[in-house]
Amino acid sequence: MTSLLQQPEVWLVAVPVLAACVSFAMNGRARLAVVIPVIVFVSMAMALTTWKLSDSGAYIHQIGGWIAPLGISWRIDGLAVVMLLLTTLVGAGVSVYSLAYFGDSREERHRERYFWPLWFFLWGSLNAIFLSNDIFNWYVSLELSGLAAVALITLSNKPEALTGGMRYLILALSASLFYLLGVSLLYGQYGTLDLDGLANVIERQHLTMTAMAVMTIGMAIKAALFPVHFWLPPAHANAPSPVSAVLSALVVKGGFYIQLRLMTELWPIDMTVALSNGLGLLGGAAIIWGSYHAIRQSHLKPLIAYSTVAQLGYLFLMFPLMTIGWWADNDWSSRAWAGGIYQALSHGLAKASLFLSAGVLIHARGSDNLEGLRGLGERLPMTATAMALAGISLMGIPPGAGFIAKWLMLTVAMSSGQWLWAGIMIVGGLMAVGYLFRIFRRLMTTSDEGDYHRPSRIMEYAALYLAILSIAFGLSSLPVFELLKHGATSLLGTYLGVTP
Amino acid sequence: MNITHLYGLAGVLLLAIGMYGVLIQPHLLKKLLSLNIASGGVFLLMVALAFRGESPDPVPHALVLTGIVISVSATAYAVALAARIYRATGRASLDQTGGDRS
Amino acid sequence: MSFDFILPLAVLMTSFVTGIIILMIDEARVTARTILNLTGAVVKMLLVGVMLWGVFRGHNYETRIPFLPNMDLVLRADGMTILFSTLSAGLWLLTTIYAIGYLEGSPNRRRFFGYFSFCVTATMGVSLAGNLVTFFLFYEMLTLTTYPLVVHRGTEKSMQAGTSYLAYTLGGSALILAGMVWLYGIAGPFDFMEAGALGSMHEKYHGQLSVIFLLLMFGLGVKAAIFPLHAWLPQAMVAPAPVSALLHAVAVVKAGAFGMVRVVYDVYGIAFCHQMNLLFLFMVMASITILYGSLRALVQDDFKRRLAFSTVSQVSYILLGITMFGPMGTIGGLVHLVHQGVMKITMFFCAGNIAETLHLHKISELKGVGRRMPLTMGAFTVAALGMIGVPPLAGFISKWHLGLGAVESGHTWVLIVLALSSLLNAAYFLPILRTAWFDKPDGPWNETHPRGRFETGLWLLIPPVTTAALTILIGLFAGSIFSPIRWAYLIVGREY
């Protein structure tokens, strides 16, 4: 038992996977008896992992005691823990929400029976992605999370959800193949799969460049980067609302996370400059394109899904901002890095909250037509508040967490004279106001027509909890930056106070 | 050109053929078959890379086994999903059914 | 956690916590809400009073919370803070009283009072902000929390007004954000400082600093309704009268004007601005706005729209004053921040009273209103005469100092602007007074509520009479120790 307490990171994967098996065996009954312990144990494991990290710094966990190159290693550092924190916070909110989400009809019970095992499985595999330090293990975790995600999308049983899920499945499998191709090329040259081991021996050559190209394509598809984002809106908009929340907040971050790790830790930095600029351009295009389409949607969930396309663009803007500072004697790279990670965190919290709120509103009206939202603000003030708070963070307005992210990235863009990126970020923020206020202004109107069905308070609380978090992280960013310091190189940690 | 290169090139060729199929075949089953051809290509490449000296490296074999297991289960799930799509829409393709017409 | 640390935070929390509680309690619990509102407002007044006394004795109240590595959120009370926060806290109390009477029996009062409290929190935050980031945080909070109040009626027209309000102000915010990020990029983190924080910047940055100055000032100019960025203000008049009164007389436009004061004096420093020739452009823009607003006001028949254009014109006096390089002009601008607030809120209160009691919205309908509502029209008359600049009322004090400032800074052409503007003020206010006092009413009054002991509800009557009295008092006793003009002298002593 003491060794289990000494290795809390194991529980971050083991508890959800175990819960998946248990809830599958239990036919979906006694869900409270499973869900609450899962939340408690995962949160405890998360707290212990965070404590261990702050206590002793970044560390490597060898699974089963096997040492690389044969064994698989996990790496617990600031970046991993911040992402794990995101999955824990969002996972807890989504789990509580889902307790009340499903109805009592036979069909609904049937959906719920499969929801829990799949969701726990997804949770566990996402945590595995964030912990992993091994390029093949990433492939396995990505496939697991992808399959679980598709199955969750198709739970809603609408034809659009089925085809949306299928399109996502085919793209996800193709993306994994590209990634796997890169993995085999790297293994063929260097004979190891361990990220640290590879980073020590990697050098600039043609096959490495090819591996970088195909792995980037794979991760761009996974992270729904423009122009391979087209699978995202139908898949995210037609899934059941708690699933949409998880997909937008967490699943797409998996691809981004791997890309970030590869860019900062694996590829020789002189190889990444052109690639970074390319990713930045696509990210910028995603911001404009996604926001434009979000403004044009007539339904709530497609609007939020297109907003995800736009917000993911910011994540890829961090790459050119980071590379501009590779050789500069200042903190630009560090700021861009911290800002990008903060964007992943803030978008995860805010977007999960927004999708959960959308689920509440759809529950209340029975449709997600924007026009049907009129008057709901007065009936559901808590949900309206949650949407407003999450919206503040998405728009990048202080004190939302999104402001911290955009502030850091904007300061780099403007100090280094990259006016294009700065302009795109500012315009993107205004466009976010444009599409979000299409929701808010309808919630504000007084005319109240249409059916109304009182949604569960638990759902409202879960959405509000995530919205409050998205503001709380905007008011106090220092704890996160304190965590990020651990294991950061002196180049990426300058701004956070890491000294060489 | 040695035998490893030949296998490797064949693998890449299969991957290309498979990806081409995924892109242009409208029928879902054909898309899935193409995906399997593509993954076969990647697996072939990995097995070929295992032979880099006197004795073969066992690690790629283990990786390929893992990959095959994943590929089989993914394909099984995808086929089941395709069947459900056919029952729900009467079509076995993704065209004209998506909700993504903005 | 010393008292000095807590006090600025407490000033914010009195209204913020009130707002949250109001949003949480039931719509139907009117008494509880009224008590909460009034308690919050009175406690805030008292706390601001304590702060005023402390600052007067040279005490330093500061709350500093780490926000980012190397950057803090700072709340600090200095002379300018006191000027603005005393004004807002006092007028908040009066407007709350007014709003309770005005909205009696109307729907959605919970939302209204909740966001009303948040707005005041934001305004207090703007006045207490000790650096640009903190200022920006509350400035944005003000924008967002005002939106529900502008669209409060929920009609199509108010929705349009709300959209245009957002488009203008958030567009302005984007400019401020760009300027601010740029400025932090070249100057590093800095706090507001009396006499300016940037005076020591190297000369090679002066070009960039000029561009940043323009970004910041034009961004702030949207809320301060500087021509041609003023169009949202008359549109936003669809909001209920208390919103027009507090927000448009005080909170929103003043936040813009106050931001300009901060940028010119505490970021760049007036001497530095003068040295870089940044001020003249804004003097001209202010003069144009003063004349343009007055001309537009002249032709409005809608009562509130005439007042709105008058606001556009009057707020630019502040900008005019603070961009004249010389203590007298500065004093005139700063003191007008307070004077204009007190006078204009009186007018909106009166317009609201007439609309609420007699359902009259047009100036041509006001015939004989003075006989039916003598106290309301009396208050309006005082405020109007003050605006025109009749001595010894508050407006005269402002204009006198502005005139002195114009002479002192060598821009004598400003005197012509001031004279013309006063003529125009007279031209659009005096006809209202003539119609209301001397014309005969067309017929019986269209009254829905039975007439009580007073000409209208007591809740509606107390606020305008109080502010009208204030207009007289701060003019008459301009020399006393706590008059706004003395504070302005105090501040200017530290800025030059």
Side-chain angles (χ1 to χ4, degrees):
Chain A
M1 197 62 204
T2 47
S3 74
L4 294 180
L5 279 180
Q6 280 163 5
Q7 298 181 331
E9 60 275 7
V10 175
W11 295 103
L12 290 172
V13 177
V15 169
V17 171
L18 208 67
C21 302
V22 171
S23 60
F24 187 70
M26 285 170 81
N27 263 340
R29 272 173 298 159
R31 42 184 206 183
L32 208 61
V34 179
V35 175
I36 301 300
V38 170
I39 295 176
V40 171
F41 282 126
V42 172
S43 310
M44 272 167 51
M46 190 63 228
L48 284 172
T49 311
T50 313
W51 179 74
K52 194 173 161 187
L53 177 79
S54 358
D55 196 47
S56 54
Y59 60 99
I60 299 283
H61 173 97
Q62 306 288 354
I63 296 176
W66 294 81
I67 300 170
L70 271 185
I72 296 166
S73 68
W74 282 353
R75 190 176 136 129
I76 294 90
D77 60 6
L79 172 56
V81 165
V82 168
M83 297 307 286
L84 289 167
L85 193 67
L86 175 65
T87 55
T88 309
L89 294 173
V90 172
V94 167
S95 300
V96 170
Y97 181 90
S98 305
L99 282 172
Y101 178 76
F102 295 97
D104 283 329
S105 68
R106 232 192 107 202
E107 196 200 359
E108 287 277 294
R109 276 166 191 266
H110 181 74
R111 287 166 68 191
E112 183 171 15
R113 179 187 175 329
Y114 291 104
F115 171 81
W116 288 108
L118 286 168
W119 153 232
F120 287 138
F121 201 71
L122 178 61
W123 193 350
S125 51
L126 282 169
N127 282 352
I129 292 179
F130 296 133
L131 283 165
S132 194
N133 197 36
D134 174 303
I135 54 174
F136 186 74
N137 198 233
W138 267 334
Y139 163 73
V140 177
S141 330
L142 271 179
E143 287 289 53
L144 295 182
S145 69
L147 282 176
V150 174
L152 282 167
I153 293 169
T154 55
L155 272 187
S156 78
N157 238 342
K158 288 186 288 185
E160 295 86 6
L162 294 179
T163 50
M166 189 66 169
R167 186 178 284 122
Y168 177 39
L169 177 64
I170 289 172
L171 273 157
L173 289 175
S174 315
S176 308
L177 276 183
F178 278 114
Y179 179 80
L180 187 61
L181 178 65
V183 171
S184 31
L185 289 176
L186 286 178
Y187 187 81
Q189 289 170 88
Y190 304 110
T192 179
L193 297 166
D194 186 70
L195 193 61
D196 295 332
L198 269 175
N200 286 333
V201 293
I202 200 160
E203 50 197 19
R204 188 187 170 117
Q205 48 164 283
H206 286 306
L207 277 179
T208 312
M209 295 276 258
T210 316
M212 180 172 90
V214 289
M215 287 167 95
T216 302
I217 292 173
M219 290 309 98
I221 298 175
K222 283 274 182 188
L225 176 61
F226 180 88
V228 278
H229 67 283
F230 55 87
W231 60 267
L232 186 146
H236 287 201
N238 292 309
S241 297
V243 177
S244 310
V246 173
L247 291 173
S248 269
L250 306 177
V251 176
V252 284
K253 304 285 159 42
F256 162 73
Y257 175 79
I258 294 174
Q259 181 65 18
L260 176 60
R261 278 249 129 119
L262 295 176
M263 293 289 271
T264 53
E265 292 170 27
L266 183 61
W267 311 123
I269 56 172
D270 53 343
M271 271 168 58
T272 54
V273 176
L275 179 64
S276 294
N277 287 327
L279 288 176
L281 275 178
L282 294 179
I287 294 174
I288 305 297
W289 179 263
S291 306
Y292 170 71
H293 278 276
I295 290 172
R296 290 190 42 191
Q297 296 304 310
S298 59
H299 288 72
L300 181 57
K301 281 179 73 176
L303 187 157
I304 306 177
Y306 270 108
S307 143
T308 300
V309 173
Q311 295 286 328
L312 292 172
Y314 287 98
L315 293 177
F316 285 88
L317 274 193
M318 82 184 272
F319 293 118
L321 296 176
M322 215 157 54
T323 40
I324 192 88
W326 274 164
W327 293 278
D329 185 23
N330 53 34
D331 60 2
W332 290 345
S333 295
S334 176
R335 276 168 184 268
W337 184 70
I341 295 167
Y342 221 85
Q343 167 69 9
L345 177 71
S346 71
H347 172 250
L349 294 169
K351 191 51 67 70
S353 170
L354 216 51
F355 264 125
L356 294 187
S357 295
V360 174
L361 298 179
I362 292 168
H363 201 83
R365 276 286 191 254
S367 124
D368 79 335
N369 195 322
L370 277 181
E371 297 308 318
L373 301 181
R374 286 174 195 279
L376 278 183
E378 193 50 30
R379 289 207 189 232
L380 297 166
M382 200 158 44
T383 298
T385 311
M387 291 191 107
L389 294 179
I392 287 174
S393 184
L394 276 187
M395 293 183 261
I397 288 177
F403 176 71
I404 304 265
K406 277 163 204 165
W407 171 268
L408 288 175
M409 288 163 74
L410 258 181
T411 48
V412 180
M414 296 192 85
S415 322
S416 60
Q418 305 191 73
W419 303 106
L420 176 64
W421 308 137
I424 287 177
M425 275 188 269
I426 288 176
V427 170
L430 289 176
M431 289 175 90
V433 175
Y435 60 72
L436 286 170
F437 265 90
R438 298 191 60 221
I439 305 175
F440 297 151
R441 62 176 291 184
R442 287 177 174 83
L443 289 177
M444 287 288 170
T445 40
T446 38
S447 69
D448 189 2
E449 301 134 16
D451 305 335
Y452 177 75
H453 176 258
R454 182 89 187 79
S456 150
R457 285 258 175 208
I458 295 176
M459 288 160 67
E460 289 197 79
Y461 280 122
L464 186 62
Y465 145 81
L466 287 171
I468 289 175
L469 279 180
S470 77
I471 299 292
F473 277 102
L475 280 173
S476 111
S477 62
L478 292 189
V480 175
F481 290 136
E482 207 50 48
L483 280 180
L484 268 184
K485 265 160 79 168
H486 297 289
T489 59
S490 60
L491 181 68
L492 295 179
T494 329
Y495 175 64
L496 308 173
V498 176
T499 43
Chain B
M1 167 164 264
N2 61 24
I3 193 84
T4 312
H5 281 136
L6 196 63
Y7 276 118
L9 278 181
V12 172
L13 198 65
L14 280 176
L15 176 72
I17 292 171
M19 279 302 155
Y20 178 73
V22 171
L23 285 178
I24 64 136
Q25 291 292 345
H27 196 282
L28 281 177
L29 276 183
K30 288 189 179 164
K31 269 194 199 299
L32 295 177
L33 277 175
S34 310
L35 257 180
N36 273 282
I37 292 172
S39 48
V42 176
F43 297 152
L44 186 62
L45 182 75
M46 290 178 86
V47 175
L49 288 170
F51 187 73
R52 287 178 307 165
E54 287 99 62
S55 60
D57 182 351
V59 173
H61 294 131
L63 302 187
V64 167
L65 274 179
T66 317
I68 289 175
V69 171
I70 292 176
S71 172
V72 166
S73 24
T75 308
Y77 176 69
V79 171
L81 186 56
R84 262 178 77 191
I85 289 177
Y86 180 71
R87 275 203 301 272
T89 67
R91 276 187 298 270
S93 67
L94 293 175
D95 301 338
Q96 295 159 355
T97 51
D100 179 26
R101 270 170 292 124
S102 44
Chain C
M1 289 264 183
S2 62
F3 179 71
D4 296 355
F5 180 89
I6 300 274
L7 186 63
L9 213 55
V11 168
L12 290 187
M13 285 304 146
T14 43
S15 47
F16 188 69
V17 174
T18 312
I20 290 180
I21 301 176
I22 288 174
L23 281 183
M24 275 166 33
I25 62 174
D26 208 59
E27 173 80 35
R29 297 179 61 186
V30 180
T31 323
R33 194 164 50 228
T34 306
I35 292 172
L36 258 173
N37 262 323
L38 292 178
T39 319
V42 170
V43 171
K44 185 186 288 288
M45 272 291 280
L46 292 177
L47 291 178
V48 171
V50 172
M51 211 159 70
L52 186 149
W53 182 239
V55 172
F56 184 67
R57 289 179 313 153
H59 202 83
N60 193 18
Y61 297 105
E62 185 179 274
T63 309
R64 191 173 276 275
I65 303 164
F67 180 56
L68 277 166
N70 311 326
M71 202 155 90
D72 298 332
L73 290 181
V74 182
L75 298 172
R76 192 172 54 206
D78 59 10
M80 289 195 193
T81 304
I82 295 297
L83 199 68
F84 192 32
S85 57
T86 313
L87 174 76
S88 326
L91 296 187
W92 184 38
L93 178 59
L94 290 171
T95 314
T96 306
I97 295 172
Y98 187 80
I100 290 168
Y102 187 85
L103 290 174
E104 209 176 332
S106 72
N108 282 334
R109 271 178 293 170
R110 170 173 68 176
R111 185 176 83 192
F112 181 88
F113 282 107
Y115 281 100
F116 199 65
S117 300
F118 291 151
C119 272
V120 174
T121 313
T123 314
M124 287 316 227
V126 163
S127 78
L128 280 164
N131 60 21
L132 261 183
V133 171
T134 318
F135 176 85
F136 186 69
L137 189 159
F138 288 107
Y139 192 80
E140 293 292 80
M141 178 177 170
L142 183 62
T143 309
L144 295 180
T145 50
T146 325
Y147 177 79
L149 300 178
V150 172
V151 303
H152 181 73
R153 299 240 157 105
T155 58
E156 209 42 53
K157 210 175 152 202
S158 61
M159 284 296 160
Q160 275 168 13
T163 307
S164 131
Y165 171 67
L166 270 185
Y168 270 92
T169 49
L170 288 173
S173 298
L175 294 183
I176 301 173
L177 179 67
M180 183 171 70
V181 170
W182 194 352
L183 190 54
Y184 274 100
I186 58 176
F190 62 91
D191 289 346
F192 290 150
M193 249 165 63
E194 271 148 8
L198 299 177
S200 57
M201 292 285 290
H202 192 273
E203 220 169 287
K204 71 173 176 181
Y205 289 120
H206 283 194
Q208 291 188 54
L209 285 176
S210 305
V211 179
I212 295 169
F213 187 80
L214 293 182
L215 280 174
L216 291 174
M217 290 295 269
F218 277 107
L220 293 162
V222 174
K223 273 211 180 112
I226 303 298
F227 175 81
L229 309 169
H230 66 283
W232 62 272
L233 181 61
Q235 279 192 49
M237 286 300 131
V238 295
V243 175
S244 309
L246 185 63
L247 295 174
H248 303 129
V250 184
V252 177
V253 289
K254 287 296 159 60
F258 188 71
M260 292 174 147
V261 175
R262 284 289 196 200
V263 169
V264 172
Y265 287 85
D266 291 349
V267 176
Y268 279 73
I270 180 82
F272 187 49
C273 289
H274 182 69
Q275 181 199 334
M276 295 208 301
N277 292 323
L278 293 170
L279 297 173
F280 187 70
L281 170 68
F282 289 95
M283 276 177 75
V284 174
M285 286 191 64
S287 305
I288 293 173
T289 312
I290 289 172
L291 296 178
Y292 171 84
S294 297
L295 284 171
R296 288 293 300 269
L298 208 53
V299 294
Q300 304 297 327
D301 189 33
D302 187 287
F303 199 4
K304 276 176 84 179
R305 274 181 77 83
R306 184 173 292 192
L307 294 184
F309 277 108
S310 153
T311 306
V312 170
S313 158
Q314 294 281 335
V315 170
S316 279
Y317 279 76
I318 303 170
L319 180 61
L320 183 65
I322 62 168
T323 50
M324 286 194 279
F325 183 60
M328 280 304 155
T330 310
I331 290 168
L334 287 177
V335 81
H336 200 59
L337 195 87
V338 178
H339 289 173
Q340 190 269 349
V342 174
M343 293 186 290
K344 189 46 69 66
I345 206 169
T346 314
M347 295 178 153
F348 276 112
F349 283 152
C350 296
N353 276 357
I354 293 168
E356 184 65 358
T357 317
L358 304 175
H359 303 282
L360 302 178
H361 303 279
K362 293 214 156 65
I363 290 161
S364 50
E365 299 167 347
L366 296 182
K367 290 175 186 162
V369 165
R371 301 176 201 179
R372 167 66 182 76
M373 303 181 75
L375 281 175
T376 303
M377 267 329 282
F380 186 86
T381 308
V382 170
L385 293 177
M387 281 286 186
I388 297 166
V390 175
L393 300 172
F396 169 72
I397 309 282
S398 314
K399 286 190 180 174
W400 176 254
H401 282 88
L402 286 173
L404 286 179
V407 175
E408 186 186 62
S409 64
H411 296 288
T412 32
W413 56 272
V414 171
L415 289 176
I416 302 171
V417 174
L418 288 174
L420 263 178
S421 163
S422 292
L423 272 178
L424 285 167
N425 288 348
Y428 63 77
F429 279 133
L430 292 180
I432 303 179
L433 302 185
R434 195 201 59 215
T435 313
W437 290 113
F438 301 114
D439 285 357
K440 279 205 168 54
D442 283 336
W445 302 109
N446 169 22
E447 293 177 68
T448 37
H449 303 295
R451 186 172 175 175
R453 206 140 65 87
F454 303 99
E455 59 192 54
T456 182
L458 197 56
W459 292 95
L460 296 178
L461 205 52
I462 293 173
V465 172
T466 315
T467 48
L470 269 177
T471 309
I472 302 173
L473 290 177
I474 53 183
L476 271 181
F477 296 98
S480 84
I481 196 153
F482 278 129
S483 73
I485 194 87
R486 284 301 287 264
W487 270 102
Y489 271 101
L490 193 86
I491 295 166
V492 167
R494 295 174 183 178
E495 294 287 355
Y496 280 89

